Amino acid sequence: MPDFSRPDHLPHLRPDGEPPHSSWLPRHRHGTTPQMIGRYPDYDVLVEVDSWDDATRKVVLARLEPPGPLRFFSEQEEPTLRAFCDTVMAQDSEPRVPVAEFVDDKLAAGRLDGYQFADMPDDRDTWRLVLAGLDESARDGHGKAGFADAEPETREEIIEAFSHGQLSGGSWDRLNVSRAWSVVMRAVLTGFYSHPWAWNEIGFGGPAYPRGFMRLGPVSTLEPFETPGASQEDPVRAVAEGEY
Amino acid sequence: MGDLLRGILKGAVGPKDNDSRYLLDVHSRDLPGEDTMARYADNDEVDLVVVGAGAGGSVLAQRLARHGWKVVILEAGPFWHPDEDWVSDEAGSHELYWTQKRIIGGSDPISMGSNNSGRGVGGSMVHYAGYCPRFHPSDFHTHSLDGVGADWPITYDDLRPHYERVERELPVAGQDWPWGHPHRYPFSPHPISEMGATLWRGARELGIEMRVGPVGIVNGTFGNRPHCIYRGYCLQGCKVNAKASPYVTHLPDALAHAVEIRANCMVSRVELDDATGHAIGVVYHDEVGGAERLQRARFVAVAGYSIETPRLLLESTSRRFPGGLGNNDDQVGRYVMVQGAAQTAGRFPDELRQYKAPPPEISSEQFYETDRSRGFARGFSIQTVGPLPITWSEHVLADGHWGRALREYMRDYNHWATIGVLNELLPHADNRVTLAEETDPYGLPVARFDFNVGENDQRNMDYSTKVITDILKAAGAQDVLTVHRYAHLVGGARMGSSRDSSVVDPHQRVWGVPNVFVSDGSVCPTQGSANPALTIMALASRLAERMASGAAMQQPEVTRQPVG
Ligand SMILES: Cc1cc2nc3c(=O)[nH]c(=O)nc-3n(C[C@H](O)[C@H](O)[C@H](O)COP(=O)(O)OP(=O)(O)OC[C@H]3O[C@@H](n4cnc5c(N)ncnc54)[C@H](O)[C@@H]3O)c2cc1C
Ligand code: SF4
């Protein structure tokens, strides 16, 4: 049975450098996680909403509202944006954290991060150039109509090159490609990991005011509302076979 | 109320001459006195106008107000109402940061925003981590000692009484400190988490001494400041009032002593009277697109942080200073420093849940001083950190993972423990702030910051990354992920004993301008490998003492020949 005290599932320690297929993980049972996979099947951070202060509750719960239509990106850009956000976060099915909408809202509102590399355009222009570049790479390198039309493997191949700053030509030549990767990923990761579904997936305790945390270790680091990680092990069989 | 009675009623005996802890409300986080504070007209010639309500500006204002000075603080950011404005959430804390554009260049551009500076009443300490170490005595003369960096025109002994005073005001909690000038802390060390304990075990294996703290976080009773609730959101602003920032440590007392804080006011220049060479006050905008206003003052103190202070000086041009105030020797904006701040995380069999407890837990200064056998001058400190999910995802990304691999590492979050370093990177004249062509919403040129890592710097960083990785391995880590980054800006208006190699004199007064002082981290000629906030506050405390006595207005006695 998978034993979380062992690190065998971590990409660094696997011969192919790839994580195992997500079927080794339990299906989420309580609340929602992205794609309903996670390590804490009975953990739902939202059960604790009553223990959060008003200001925090408002900000976090707003993320669960159905997202409106895109405001910053055009209809032409939308499929590429979605395909990019899905690929880099490995969101291949519902339920999805609405990352594309988060990015769109941030850029539409001009909520930028306070710095711009001297050899790069404004973040908003960077995003547009990246989406155009992804389409060009899918077209020129792989004969597809656009990035969104490419198979998952092709998209991953393009993203892998992007992550190493190894794309060039057309729109890419107007960017420092490695920096563009850090600019777009900063926004994508913030969108994904600010969402309570992602907190359920990773077992994060979430907002903690005014309640705070008491269990800092060493005997246990679990608050009364947190649950330990689990595998998709069948408990009945495990008991029958004497593993417990 | 006498200290003894206070002690009996409220617990430990605290600092004199600062009532902030009693002025705070136990049930509300607002800064008391906002509605009743003094108000001055632009034409009132106040005694002092301070630019920036951050670490340096707030301490200076509070001290001088206690001496009866009339003080106005102009702050570009908002007047916070933490109960409503601050959240226990990473992404939701975006408004705390200075997010106006800055251009970053050089061979190693430094990212700003959340990682580097704050904007609003309280300044960057509103979202700083909370480590409050002192500099070492050696930091004040690295040039004579080690042949690198620069010598300060003052010494550790000049700052020591102010370190002690500020430590009582924050108050700092930690174990007895064996490094630098050995000292104790007013409050006992906090309990540490399982993550802290795990890293400590690794350090002990290697013979590396660690200590709990020092952190500016209440541990016990301190007036109306509550005890820490170990929620781990120090870098998002402490909604509890347990963590020190000027918002709770100095500004309540300042407002009770006739200081006015004028928030949402962006200062655009220090106004000089070319005939006399004296500043008459500062020009500011109280809204985007609004008319210019001039606050008159006898003295001006600039305390806008290491990027904004040089920017403001450069923007303050006049006939006497065509290239910016105090910049006739092309020194303004030079020698800006950041610390190398790589972090390494290790994977452990147990769930450690590193999001609990304040990120600053235990630290070591065993590698702080020069040891030539390591192959570089000066050193680094080691400190634990506890990244929340978004920060953790950036850490995983930096190690080269995205997509399914990133999700896998993220799901493993609860098994990881993170430890970081702070390297003393050396000051270089070309690491500097200049004005960019682009302008901000007020129409002012934005700052551009160019940064290049030097050879000694790189050797220091490589060595220290190996040390923290070894600590993780010795603790039994099963996998390791590393992110290279930088933190903590200081310098840009450094103090010195000669005007052609510095911007301010030993009294932190701009060379050639009798009534303009700089009171923030930009005056530091070197940075050590200690986090800077305590030193910035101690410097402001010393400056205030000398402004109040008039000593700061005299010609500086040159205690040292200029070097470095
Ligand atoms: C994430 C993070 C973690 C940190 N952790 C630590 C730590 O653990 N320990 C530590 O010692 N330090 C830490 N620091 C650094 C520390 O917070 C700063 O060094 C310190 O607060 C700087 O003090 P200052 O007085 O120079 O500027 P600030 O405190 O930044 O104050 C400057 C103020 O001036 C205002 N201002 C600027 N320009 C203008 C203008 N033109 N007009 C009007 N107002 C203006 C700004 O809005 C700001 O409020 C951390 C910083 C960050 C960002
Ligand atoms: S961990 Fe303690 S000091 Fe930090 S934010 Fe929470 S209550 Fe404040």
Side-chain angles (χ1 to χ4, degrees), chain B residues 154-219:
Chain B
I154 63 172
T155 67
Y156 177 83
D157 287 332
D158 292 312
L159 274 194
R160 180 180 164 185
H162 299 281
Y163 275 139
E164 289 168 357
R165 190 168 167 194
V166 176
E167 280 167 357
R168 283 193 298 271
E169 292 175 290
L170 295 182
V172 183
Q175 283 185 291
D176 290 357
W177 208 245
W179 296 289
H181 167 243
H183 57 276
R184 295 180 175 213
Y185 288 109
F187 275 70
S188 55
H190 284 268
I192 60 166
S193 70
E194 186 62 7
M195 177 191 101
T198 302
L199 296 170
W200 202 335
R201 279 194 284 273
R204 212 165 42 195
E205 277 301 297
L206 301 179
I208 298 171
E209 293 275 334
M210 303 288 291
R211 290 290 182 276
V212 183
V215 291
I217 300 177
V218 174
N219 184 18

Side-chain angles (χ1 to χ4, degrees), chain B residues 50-58 74-78 97-98 102 113-133 235 246 262 265-269 284 302-309 311-312 315 360 383 422 444 485 487-490 519-522 530-537:
Chain B
V50 179
V51 182
S58 303
L74 296 172
E75 166 55 51
Y97 316 139
W98 187 286
R102 287 154 169 173
S114 64
N115 183 43
N116 271 313
S117 68
R119 186 168 185 276
V121 174
S124 303
M125 282 177 76
V126 162
H127 78 282
Y128 86 142
Y131 273 116
C132 289
L235 283 91
R262 221 172 283 159
C265 289
M266 177 72 181
V267 176
S268 55
R269 66 178 184 274
Y284 68 101
V302 182
Y305 193 75
S306 281
I307 301 290
E308 297 304 317
T309 287
R311 175 188 178 202
L312 181 62
E315 282 169 353
Q383 302 180 336
L422 291 179
L444 307 168
R485 50 191 288 290
H488 303 152
L489 282 92
V490 294
S519 180
D520 65 13
S522 23
N531 323 51
L534 182 80
T535 298
I536 293 171
M537 287 183 145

Side-chain angles (χ1 to χ4, degrees), chain A residues 208-209 212, chain B residues 88 128-130 190 216-218 226-244 355-360:
Chain A
Y209 175 78
Chain B
S88 202
Y128 86 142
H190 284 268
I217 300 177
V218 174
H227 193 287
C228 170
I229 60 172
Y230 303 106
R231 64 189 195 113
Y233 282 90
C234 306
L235 283 91
Q236 285 68 34
C238 181
K239 279 195 82 124
V240 177
N241 277 1
K243 189 190 76 173
Y355 53 86
K356 300 187 184 189

Side-chain angles (χ1 to χ4, degrees), chain B residues 217-456:
Chain B
I217 300 177
V218 174
N219 184 18
T221 303
F222 191 65
N224 293 336
R225 295 254 312 273
H227 193 287
C228 170
I229 60 172
Y230 303 106
R231 64 189 195 113
Y233 282 90
C234 306
L235 283 91
Q236 285 68 34
C238 181
K239 279 195 82 124
V240 177
N241 277 1
K243 189 190 76 173
S245 83
Y247 191 88
V248 292
T249 60
H250 291 83
L251 292 175
D253 192 68
L255 292 193
H257 289 85
V259 171
E260 175 185 355
I261 303 174
R262 221 172 283 159
N264 302 308
C265 289
M266 177 72 181
V267 176
S268 55
R269 66 178 184 274
V270 178
E271 190 75 350
L272 202 71
D273 177 348
D274 267 320
T276 63
H278 279 66
I280 55 171
V282 299
V283 172
Y284 68 101
H285 298 263
D286 59 5
E287 58 181 329
V288 170
E292 284 193 342
R293 294 174 59 175
L294 169 70
Q295 175 64 55
R296 294 186 170 271
R298 272 198 314 132
F299 292 97
V300 174
V302 182
Y305 193 75
S306 281
I307 301 290
E308 297 304 317
T309 287
R311 175 188 178 202
L312 181 62
L313 295 178
L314 291 171
E315 282 169 353
S316 301
T317 54
S318 59
R319 199 162 39 77
R320 283 180 188 239
F321 294 101
L325 197 67
N327 196 31
N328 286 355
D329 290 294
D330 188 24
Q331 290 296 301
V332 172
R334 292 190 179 276
Y335 303 100
V336 177
M337 290 159 272
V338 293
Q339 290 171 327
Q343 295 178 354
T344 302
R347 203 275 177 187
F348 294 91
D350 291 327
E351 286 180 10
L352 302 174
R353 302 198 178 236
Q354 59 176 334
Y355 53 86
K356 300 187 184 189
E361 287 203 287
I362 58 170
S363 58
S364 174
E365 291 179 353
Q366 184 164 327
F367 299 88
Y368 198 107
E369 303 288 340
T370 298
D371 172 351
R372 287 286 173 191
S373 72
R374 295 183 208 135
F376 55 91
R378 305 305 295 160
F380 58 94
S381 59
I382 300 175
Q383 302 180 336
T384 59
V385 290
L388 295 181
I390 296 172
T391 315
W392 173 241
S393 69
E394 287 167 353
H395 190 135
V396 173
L397 178 80
D399 201 86
H401 310 279
W402 57 272
R404 294 195 309 119
L406 178 127
R407 290 273 295 274
E408 195 66 54
Y409 274 113
M410 290 301 298
R411 280 191 292 266
D412 213 45
Y413 176 52
N414 284 337
H415 287 265
W416 290 74
T418 312
I419 187 163
V421 295
L422 291 179
N423 306 92
E424 173 172 354
L425 306 188
L426 301 174
H428 290 289
D430 293 338
N431 289 340
R432 67 186 298 204
V433 169
T434 51
L435 298 180
E437 290 189 353
E438 205 164 323
T439 53
D440 70 5
Y442 298 96
L444 307 168
V446 304
R448 172 181 170 134
F449 176 38
D450 287 284
F451 189 78
N452 312 286
V453 162
E455 220 182 284
N456 191 77

Side-chain angles (χ1 to χ4, degrees), chain A residues 4-5 9 12 35 39 53 56 63 88-89 116 118 122 160 193 201 206 216 218 221 223 226 229, chain B residues 88-89 101-102 104 194 233 239 347 351 355-356 399 402-403 407 409-412 414 478-479:
Chain A
F4 289 116
S5 70
H9 54 291
H12 274 163
Q35 294 74 57
R39 280 264 287 276
D53 65 283
T56 303
R63 298 178 189 143
V88 291
M89 286 319 301
Q116 179 184 322
D122 185 275
E160 180 67 11
Y193 287 107
E201 178 187 6
L216 310 179
T221 58
E223 306 296 321
E226 292 169 333
Chain B
S88 202
D89 181 71
K101 190 177 281 183
R102 287 154 169 173
I104 53 171
E194 186 62 7
Y233 282 90
K239 279 195 82 124
R347 203 275 177 187
E351 286 180 10
Y355 53 86
K356 300 187 184 189
D399 201 86
W402 57 272
R407 290 273 295 274
Y409 274 113
M410 290 301 298
R411 280 191 292 266
D412 213 45
N414 284 337
Q478 300 158 304
D479 188 7

Side-chain angles (χ1 to χ4, degrees), chain A residues 32-37 63-67 79 81-102 152 155 191-193 195-198 201, chain B residues 407:
Chain A
T32 309
T33 67
Q35 294 74 57
M36 292 310 275
I37 49 175
R63 298 178 189 143
L64 298 168
E65 296 294 317
L81 171 72
R82 291 191 186 284
F84 173 71
C85 293
D86 281 355
T87 311
V88 291
M89 286 319 301
Q91 291 208 90
D92 52 8
S93 64
E94 295 297 331
R96 280 183 173 83
V97 169
V99 175
E101 282 83 358
F102 173 89
R155 289 191 214 163
F192 192 86
Y193 287 107
H195 202 284
W197 295 351
E201 178 187 6
Chain B
R407 290 273 295 274

